[in-house]
Amino acid sequence: RLKALNRLQVILQHLKMSKQTDSTAEVLLEKKGGAGIITLNRPKALNALNLSMIQQIYPQIKAWEKDPETFLIIIKGAGGKAFCAGGDIRAITEAGKVGDKLSQDFFRGEYRLNNAVGTCKKPYVALIDGITMGGGVGVSIHGHFRVATEKTLFAMPETAIGLFPDVGGGYFLPRLSGKIGYYLALTGCRLKGRDVLKAGVATHFVESEKLPALEKDLIALKSPSKEKIADLLNSYHMKCTVDQEKEFVLDEHMEKINSLFSANSMEEIVKKLKQDGSAFAMKQLETINKMSPTSLKLTLRQLREGASMSLQDVLRMEYRLSQACMKGHDFYEGVRAVLIDKDQSPKWKPAALEEVSDEFVDNCFKPLGDDDLKL
């Protein structure tokens, strides 16, 4: 009887899978060989994650993790332009404005998914070809392998829209070498191609056109170990000569980044940038002056605290911050200025770093009691 029941479950699972592979679905979940394959399938929206995608991917990762016939998980984006450009910010904004539950459910679901990726027992390979920002970083960075290409464009641009680099940014950013993570988080600086590897965001670098072959080879591996998968990725990586000779774009600025962004407060960072006076420092100052002062202060503290926390504790902290941002002013104003009216001139409140009190920042980090994120 048990055997029959198991068989039925397998058949139902396959039916569910084949339903998922219809090309209009926002996310495709397929099993090929020993690999579970997740395809983010909203190319027109640059594969931005919405709640229904998150709610499909999470249980599937959990199911594949338990399945003895699944040896690895591959995640990729459809359409050739983006892996995933972020979370569906517009939907969250609309919901937040009217106090809809989506602004809680989305972040809760997204962070649980980030944690599922970070704790996944099966090797997890993210093919981060094209635009990879915000929420797209969250479903790739915490996995074992991240394969960048010459088309990869990485950024955590949240301070420009009154948010903070979430999806576990407080965990991975301060762990990048030197103060690169602080610099990327506060300025929203974009990294392209091989620089994504050199910054430590990607683990491997392969030509975009070689990805289908790589995927085929991954699928063909017979009950592979993490080591076998690493060997295959390394062999592709070693053969890739694109931009091999190019110096890391931040190399010449690393000394400055490490000293300027090691300050204990945003005001001090700004002061150091002004005192430095170099062209690089002035450019960073100009960028930082456009960002939400509230976001900058939340972000600096998020990274400083996250540097010594577990991923789970970081995600709990970030959930508290997300809910504080949903109650505030700057997130809605940032989304309006950048994504809706596109006038690129947000009116931040408060408008200056000095006006964002320590007390206000402290409150954003306070536990939410029963409403805290449960992982």
Side-chain angles (χ1 to χ4, degrees):
R1 270 224 38 186
L2 197 63
K3 263 198 178 142
L5 197 65
N6 278 349
R7 211 164 40 232
L8 186 64
Q9 277 177 326
V10 169
I11 293 166
L12 287 172
Q13 182 66 24
H14 276 290
L15 285 173
K16 201 168 115 196
M17 292 267 195
S18 55
K19 188 183 85 208
Q20 287 305 338
T21 47
D22 109 54
S23 61
T24 55
E26 295 177 321
V27 58
L28 311 176
L29 303 164
E30 310 163 78
K31 185 76 190 299
K32 287 186 185 168
I37 300 171
I38 302 163
T39 308
L40 307 174
N41 191 36
R42 292 179 73 203
K44 283 197 182 76
L46 299 177
N47 300 323
L49 283 178
N50 60 27
L51 186 58
S52 89
M53 292 162 80
I54 289 166
Q55 286 171 338
Q56 292 172 67
I57 298 167
Y58 178 83
Q60 189 58 75
I61 288 178
K62 290 297 185 194
W64 279 333
E65 218 176 356
K66 289 196 184 86
D67 175 23
E69 298 301 306
T70 303
F71 300 102
L72 78 153
I73 296 171
I74 299 170
I75 185 167
K76 58 180 181 170
K81 250 181 108 168
F83 165 66
C84 170
D88 196 344
I89 294 291
R90 279 183 177 219
I92 304 162
T93 314
E94 296 311 310
K97 277 185 190 157
V98 294
D100 184 305
K101 233 166 92 287
L102 177 70
S103 54
Q104 295 164 5
D105 295 346
F106 179 84
F107 289 104
R108 194 164 279 174
E110 185 178 31
Y111 299 174
R112 283 181 68 205
L113 175 56
N114 301 151
N115 187 52
V117 172
T119 56
C120 189
K121 291 183 184 64
K122 300 283 166 84
Y124 185 97
V125 183
L127 307 176
I128 54 172
D129 189 31
I131 300 164
T132 304
M133 297 185 184
V137 178
V139 291
S140 55
I141 192 90
H142 306 297
H144 305 98
F145 305 107
R146 288 132 2 234
V147 183
T149 73
E150 73 281 6
K151 285 162 45 181
T152 304
L153 177 63
F154 163 92
M156 293 299 278
E158 289 80 4
T159 54
I161 55 163
L163 210 56
F164 57 96
D166 63 336
V167 298
Y171 182 79
F172 84 86
L173 288 162
R175 285 168 172 79
L176 297 176
S177 74
K179 293 287 172 187
I180 290 183
Y182 291 79
Y183 166 69
L184 295 173
L186 296 168
T187 64
C189 166
R190 298 174 163 208
L191 295 175
K192 294 188 180 110
R194 216 176 257 273
D195 288 331
V196 179
L197 171 81
K198 290 179 174 161
V201 172
T203 57
H204 295 81
F205 186 81
V206 172
E207 287 103 325
S208 182
E209 60 178 40
K210 294 278 196 319
L211 287 181
L214 171 61
E215 192 184 320
K216 229 171 112 181
D217 285 348
L218 282 168
I219 291 165
L221 288 172
K222 294 277 171 269
S223 54
S225 59
K226 202 170 141 188
E227 288 68 36
K228 265 197 199 161
I229 292 164
D231 288 344
L232 178 63
L233 292 172
N234 289 340
S235 73
Y236 270 82
H237 174 82
M238 297 311 284
K239 285 187 202 124
C240 178
T241 54
V242 179
D243 296 335
Q244 216 169 18
E245 305 308 314
K246 242 178 72 190
E247 216 180 90
F248 179 36
V249 68
L250 297 177
D251 253 356
E252 53 175 319
H253 306 301
M254 271 324 294
E255 219 173 300
K256 282 198 189 302
I257 287 172
N258 291 340
S259 72
L260 297 168
F261 287 86
S262 62
N264 298 333
S265 70
M266 267 323 296
E267 288 89 342
E268 209 182 314
I269 289 177
V270 167
K271 197 172 123 193
K272 280 181 139 184
L273 288 167
K274 282 180 181 159
Q275 282 170 348
D276 182 279
S278 66
F280 175 76
M282 290 299 103
K283 202 175 147 223
Q284 306 323 311
L285 191 60
E286 198 188 324
T287 302
I288 280 172
N289 283 335
K290 292 186 185 137
M291 303 306 188
S292 152
T294 303
S295 289
L296 290 168
K297 285 207 165 174
L298 292 181
T299 298
L300 184 58
R301 174 152 163 198
Q302 168 207 0
L303 267 55
R304 286 172 60 90
E305 296 205 358
S308 57
M309 287 164 115
S310 68
L311 175 60
Q312 290 69 38
D313 286 339
V314 165
L315 290 166
R316 272 189 279 272
M317 163 178 76
E318 291 180 355
Y319 182 71
R320 292 165 187 170
L321 294 179
S322 77
Q323 296 312 296
C325 289
M326 292 304 106
K327 290 188 182 77
H329 164 274
D330 280 6
F331 172 63
Y332 302 99
E333 175 57 15
V335 171
R336 179 205 66 72
V338 176
L339 299 176
I340 298 170
D341 299 340
K342 298 193 164 104
D343 58 28
Q344 309 301 331
S345 54
K347 306 281 176 281
W348 304 123
K349 279 186 201 160
L353 285 168
E354 294 68 35
E355 294 165 25
V356 183
S357 71
D358 292 345
E359 186 189 8
F360 173 82
V361 173
D362 288 343
N363 276 331
C364 295
F365 283 82
K366 283 207 172 118
L368 302 171
D370 287 345
D371 288 334
D372 258 332
L373 177 68
K374 302 184 183 46
L375 292 170

